[in-house]
Amino acid sequence: MTDTDGSDRAAAALAVTALFAVIATMALGAAGSFPEPTGFPADASIVHNIGYALFDIGIGEIPAEGFLAAFLIIALALDVALDAAIYLAKREDEGSIVSALTDGGRDIVAGDVAEREPADEGGDR
């Protein structure tokens, strides 16, 4: 699957250039139709309004339903990242999952910590 004459690269470069031209034309054409940004009142709290929208309390000054969707999507992404980090922290030892948390390298025998000689005197454990 090697390309000896470069025709596939030329076609891909042409397609990318055409796509860039279409997107640039759309962005520049839409730039004049955006309304002037208004901002929020200086004394209004966006955090409080997101909380009011989250619990469906209609006392906020700012309509925060648009913020609520972004807030929930970010919360879901962070939850997935945390679950993935916990899953990746576990390791398998001979087919069984071993927790990443240890007791400092000590052997536990019948509920008691067994005394053991250090393997070497130098270095940290």
PDB file of all heavy atoms in Angstrom, residues 88-109:
ATOM      1  N   LEU A  88      -7.230   1.925  36.047  1.00  0.00           N
ATOM      2  CA  LEU A  88      -5.857   1.757  35.589  1.00  0.00           C
ATOM      3  C   LEU A  88      -4.873   1.605  36.748  1.00  0.00           C
ATOM      4  O   LEU A  88      -3.777   1.073  36.568  1.00  0.00           O
ATOM      5  CB  LEU A  88      -5.441   2.939  34.709  1.00  0.00           C
ATOM      6  CG  LEU A  88      -6.131   2.993  33.351  1.00  0.00           C
ATOM      7  CD1 LEU A  88      -5.751   4.269  32.629  1.00  0.00           C
ATOM      8  CD2 LEU A  88      -5.787   1.774  32.516  1.00  0.00           C
ATOM      9  N   ALA A  89      -5.246   2.063  37.942  1.00  0.00           N
ATOM     10  CA  ALA A  89      -4.364   1.928  39.098  1.00  0.00           C
ATOM     11  C   ALA A  89      -4.343   0.498  39.621  1.00  0.00           C
ATOM     12  O   ALA A  89      -3.429   0.125  40.346  1.00  0.00           O
ATOM     13  CB  ALA A  89      -4.794   2.878  40.205  1.00  0.00           C
ATOM     14  N   LYS A  90      -5.336  -0.296  39.264  1.00  0.00           N
ATOM     15  CA  LYS A  90      -5.348  -1.696  39.675  1.00  0.00           C
ATOM     16  C   LYS A  90      -4.465  -2.489  38.735  1.00  0.00           C
ATOM     17  O   LYS A  90      -4.336  -2.170  37.565  1.00  0.00           O
ATOM     18  CB  LYS A  90      -6.772  -2.254  39.628  1.00  0.00           C
ATOM     19  CG  LYS A  90      -7.668  -1.646  40.652  1.00  0.00           C
ATOM     20  CD  LYS A  90      -9.016  -2.273  40.604  1.00  0.00           C
ATOM     21  CE  LYS A  90      -9.911  -1.678  41.672  1.00  0.00           C
ATOM     22  NZ  LYS A  90     -11.191  -2.327  41.710  1.00  0.00           N
ATOM     23  N   ARG A  91      -3.853  -3.520  39.243  1.00  0.00           N
ATOM     24  CA  ARG A  91      -3.028  -4.371  38.396  1.00  0.00           C
ATOM     25  C   ARG A  91      -3.425  -5.812  38.622  1.00  0.00           C
ATOM     26  O   ARG A  91      -3.985  -6.165  39.657  1.00  0.00           O
ATOM     27  CB  ARG A  91      -1.557  -4.155  38.694  1.00  0.00           C
ATOM     28  CG  ARG A  91      -1.226  -4.435  40.121  1.00  0.00           C
ATOM     29  CD  ARG A  91       0.161  -3.987  40.476  1.00  0.00           C
ATOM     30  NE  ARG A  91       0.195  -3.963  41.928  1.00  0.00           N
ATOM     31  CZ  ARG A  91       1.148  -4.470  42.646  1.00  0.00           C
ATOM     32  NH1 ARG A  91       2.184  -5.003  42.077  1.00  0.00           N
ATOM     33  NH2 ARG A  91       1.093  -4.432  43.944  1.00  0.00           N
ATOM     34  N   GLU A  92      -3.124  -6.640  37.676  1.00  0.00           N
ATOM     35  CA  GLU A  92      -3.455  -8.054  37.780  1.00  0.00           C
ATOM     36  C   GLU A  92      -2.198  -8.843  38.106  1.00  0.00           C
ATOM     37  O   GLU A  92      -1.141  -8.619  37.532  1.00  0.00           O
ATOM     38  CB  GLU A  92      -4.061  -8.552  36.475  1.00  0.00           C
ATOM     39  CG  GLU A  92      -5.429  -7.989  36.213  1.00  0.00           C
ATOM     40  CD  GLU A  92      -6.090  -8.618  35.015  1.00  0.00           C
ATOM     41  OE1 GLU A  92      -5.689  -9.721  34.632  1.00  0.00           O
ATOM     42  OE2 GLU A  92      -7.003  -8.005  34.484  1.00  0.00           O
ATOM     43  N   ASP A  93      -2.336  -9.750  39.055  1.00  0.00           N
ATOM     44  CA  ASP A  93      -1.231 -10.611  39.445  1.00  0.00           C
ATOM     45  C   ASP A  93      -1.719 -12.050  39.365  1.00  0.00           C
ATOM     46  O   ASP A  93      -2.527 -12.487  40.189  1.00  0.00           O
ATOM     47  CB  ASP A  93      -0.779 -10.261  40.864  1.00  0.00           C
ATOM     48  CG  ASP A  93       0.491 -10.973  41.256  1.00  0.00           C
ATOM     49  OD1 ASP A  93       1.268 -11.328  40.345  1.00  0.00           O
ATOM     50  OD2 ASP A  93       0.704 -11.160  42.466  1.00  0.00           O
ATOM     51  N   GLU A  94      -1.283 -12.756  38.359  1.00  0.00           N
ATOM     52  CA  GLU A  94      -1.663 -14.149  38.122  1.00  0.00           C
ATOM     53  C   GLU A  94      -3.179 -14.308  38.003  1.00  0.00           C
ATOM     54  O   GLU A  94      -3.789 -15.178  38.599  1.00  0.00           O
ATOM     55  CB  GLU A  94      -1.110 -15.039  39.222  1.00  0.00           C
ATOM     56  CG  GLU A  94       0.400 -15.056  39.290  1.00  0.00           C
ATOM     57  CD  GLU A  94       0.907 -15.870  40.458  1.00  0.00           C
ATOM     58  OE1 GLU A  94       0.099 -16.512  41.147  1.00  0.00           O
ATOM     59  OE2 GLU A  94       2.112 -15.860  40.671  1.00  0.00           O
ATOM     60  N   GLY A  95      -3.815 -13.428  37.264  1.00  0.00           N
ATOM     61  CA  GLY A  95      -5.233 -13.552  36.975  1.00  0.00           C
ATOM     62  C   GLY A  95      -6.159 -12.897  37.977  1.00  0.00           C
ATOM     63  O   GLY A  95      -7.350 -12.808  37.739  1.00  0.00           O
ATOM     64  N   SER A  96      -5.670 -12.442  39.131  1.00  0.00           N
ATOM     65  CA  SER A  96      -6.531 -11.783  40.105  1.00  0.00           C
ATOM     66  C   SER A  96      -6.132 -10.320  40.213  1.00  0.00           C
ATOM     67  O   SER A  96      -4.963  -9.966  40.068  1.00  0.00           O
ATOM     68  CB  SER A  96      -6.423 -12.467  41.469  1.00  0.00           C
ATOM     69  OG  SER A  96      -5.116 -12.315  41.972  1.00  0.00           O
ATOM     70  N   ILE A  97      -7.100  -9.475  40.476  1.00  0.00           N
ATOM     71  CA  ILE A  97      -6.849  -8.042  40.566  1.00  0.00           C
ATOM     72  C   ILE A  97      -6.272  -7.729  41.942  1.00  0.00           C
ATOM     73  O   ILE A  97      -6.807  -8.135  42.965  1.00  0.00           O
ATOM     74  CB  ILE A  97      -8.135  -7.241  40.318  1.00  0.00           C
ATOM     75  CG1 ILE A  97      -8.593  -7.457  38.888  1.00  0.00           C
ATOM     76  CG2 ILE A  97      -7.919  -5.770  40.604  1.00  0.00           C
ATOM     77  CD1 ILE A  97      -9.875  -6.763  38.552  1.00  0.00           C
ATOM     78  N   VAL A  98      -5.169  -7.016  41.954  1.00  0.00           N
ATOM     79  CA  VAL A  98      -4.502  -6.609  43.180  1.00  0.00           C
ATOM     80  C   VAL A  98      -4.663  -5.106  43.294  1.00  0.00           C
ATOM     81  O   VAL A  98      -4.440  -4.381  42.333  1.00  0.00           O
ATOM     82  CB  VAL A  98      -3.003  -6.994  43.137  1.00  0.00           C
ATOM     83  CG1 VAL A  98      -2.306  -6.523  44.393  1.00  0.00           C
ATOM     84  CG2 VAL A  98      -2.854  -8.483  42.955  1.00  0.00           C
ATOM     85  N   SER A  99      -5.045  -4.626  44.449  1.00  0.00           N
ATOM     86  CA  SER A  99      -5.242  -3.203  44.642  1.00  0.00           C
ATOM     87  C   SER A  99      -3.915  -2.466  44.591  1.00  0.00           C
ATOM     88  O   SER A  99      -2.873  -2.997  44.934  1.00  0.00           O
ATOM     89  CB  SER A  99      -5.920  -2.951  45.986  1.00  0.00           C
ATOM     90  OG  SER A  99      -6.024  -1.564  46.219  1.00  0.00           O
ATOM     91  N   ALA A 100      -3.953  -1.217  44.172  1.00  0.00           N
ATOM     92  CA  ALA A 100      -2.746  -0.404  44.119  1.00  0.00           C
ATOM     93  C   ALA A 100      -2.331   0.063  45.502  1.00  0.00           C
ATOM     94  O   ALA A 100      -1.205   0.474  45.713  1.00  0.00           O
ATOM     95  CB  ALA A 100      -2.973   0.798  43.217  1.00  0.00           C
ATOM     96  N   LEU A 101      -3.239   0.010  46.469  1.00  0.00           N
ATOM     97  CA  LEU A 101      -2.911   0.409  47.831  1.00  0.00           C
ATOM     98  C   LEU A 101      -2.190  -0.733  48.524  1.00  0.00           C
ATOM     99  O   LEU A 101      -2.570  -1.888  48.417  1.00  0.00           O
ATOM    100  CB  LEU A 101      -4.185   0.760  48.598  1.00  0.00           C
ATOM    101  CG  LEU A 101      -5.000   1.893  48.005  1.00  0.00           C
ATOM    102  CD1 LEU A 101      -6.285   2.068  48.775  1.00  0.00           C
ATOM    103  CD2 LEU A 101      -4.211   3.179  47.986  1.00  0.00           C
ATOM    104  N   THR A 102      -1.142  -0.409  49.251  1.00  0.00           N
ATOM    105  CA  THR A 102      -0.381  -1.436  49.964  1.00  0.00           C
ATOM    106  C   THR A 102      -0.300  -1.066  51.426  1.00  0.00           C
ATOM    107  O   THR A 102      -0.718   0.006  51.852  1.00  0.00           O
ATOM    108  CB  THR A 102       1.044  -1.570  49.396  1.00  0.00           C
ATOM    109  OG1 THR A 102       1.728  -0.347  49.617  1.00  0.00           O
ATOM    110  CG2 THR A 102       1.021  -1.896  47.923  1.00  0.00           C
ATOM    111  N   ASP A 103       0.281  -1.958  52.205  1.00  0.00           N
ATOM    112  CA  ASP A 103       0.464  -1.708  53.631  1.00  0.00           C
ATOM    113  C   ASP A 103       1.911  -1.362  53.947  1.00  0.00           C
ATOM    114  O   ASP A 103       2.381  -1.600  55.049  1.00  0.00           O
ATOM    115  CB  ASP A 103       0.000  -2.914  54.443  1.00  0.00           C
ATOM    116  CG  ASP A 103       0.819  -4.142  54.137  1.00  0.00           C
ATOM    117  OD1 ASP A 103       1.522  -4.126  53.121  1.00  0.00           O
ATOM    118  OD2 ASP A 103       0.771  -5.102  54.917  1.00  0.00           O
ATOM    119  N   GLY A 104       2.645  -0.862  52.998  1.00  0.00           N
ATOM    120  CA  GLY A 104       4.025  -0.500  53.213  1.00  0.00           C
ATOM    121  C   GLY A 104       4.994  -1.626  52.950  1.00  0.00           C
ATOM    122  O   GLY A 104       6.143  -1.565  53.330  1.00  0.00           O
ATOM    123  N   GLY A 105       4.555  -2.709  52.322  1.00  0.00           N
ATOM    124  CA  GLY A 105       5.437  -3.807  51.997  1.00  0.00           C
ATOM    125  C   GLY A 105       5.564  -4.841  53.097  1.00  0.00           C
ATOM    126  O   GLY A 105       6.377  -5.745  53.008  1.00  0.00           O
ATOM    127  N   ARG A 106       4.782  -4.741  54.151  1.00  0.00           N
ATOM    128  CA  ARG A 106       4.856  -5.715  55.243  1.00  0.00           C
ATOM    129  C   ARG A 106       3.951  -6.892  54.940  1.00  0.00           C
ATOM    130  O   ARG A 106       2.916  -6.758  54.311  1.00  0.00           O
ATOM    131  CB  ARG A 106       4.429  -5.060  56.547  1.00  0.00           C
ATOM    132  CG  ARG A 106       5.352  -3.907  56.931  1.00  0.00           C
ATOM    133  CD  ARG A 106       4.828  -3.204  58.121  1.00  0.00           C
ATOM    134  NE  ARG A 106       3.583  -2.541  57.713  1.00  0.00           N
ATOM    135  CZ  ARG A 106       2.934  -1.649  58.423  1.00  0.00           C
ATOM    136  NH1 ARG A 106       3.388  -1.316  59.598  1.00  0.00           N
ATOM    137  NH2 ARG A 106       1.849  -1.089  57.991  1.00  0.00           N
ATOM    138  N   ASP A 107       4.341  -8.061  55.421  1.00  0.00           N
ATOM    139  CA  ASP A 107       3.522  -9.256  55.261  1.00  0.00           C
ATOM    140  C   ASP A 107       2.513  -9.316  56.396  1.00  0.00           C
ATOM    141  O   ASP A 107       2.834  -9.056  57.555  1.00  0.00           O
ATOM    142  CB  ASP A 107       4.391 -10.525  55.289  1.00  0.00           C
ATOM    143  CG  ASP A 107       5.279 -10.606  54.066  1.00  0.00           C
ATOM    144  OD1 ASP A 107       4.880 -10.061  53.021  1.00  0.00           O
ATOM    145  OD2 ASP A 107       6.359 -11.223  54.159  1.00  0.00           O
ATOM    146  N   ILE A 108       1.285  -9.672  56.087  1.00  0.00           N
ATOM    147  CA  ILE A 108       0.244  -9.808  57.095  1.00  0.00           C
ATOM    148  C   ILE A 108      -0.052 -11.297  57.247  1.00  0.00           C
ATOM    149  O   ILE A 108      -0.404 -11.966  56.282  1.00  0.00           O
ATOM    150  CB  ILE A 108      -1.020  -9.052  56.692  1.00  0.00           C
ATOM    151  CG1 ILE A 108      -0.659  -7.626  56.420  1.00  0.00           C
ATOM    152  CG2 ILE A 108      -2.106  -9.259  57.692  1.00  0.00           C
ATOM    153  CD1 ILE A 108      -1.494  -6.567  56.968  1.00  0.00           C
ATOM    154  N   VAL A 109       0.106 -11.809  58.457  1.00  0.00           N
ATOM    155  CA  VAL A 109      -0.126 -13.225  58.741  1.00  0.00           C
ATOM    156  C   VAL A 109      -1.172 -13.312  59.831  1.00  0.00           C
ATOM    157  O   VAL A 109      -0.965 -12.844  60.942  1.00  0.00           O
ATOM    158  CB  VAL A 109       1.183 -13.918  59.192  1.00  0.00           C
ATOM    159  CG1 VAL A 109       0.928 -15.378  59.504  1.00  0.00           C
ATOM    160  CG2 VAL A 109       2.259 -13.757  58.147  1.00  0.00           C
TER     161      VAL A 109
END
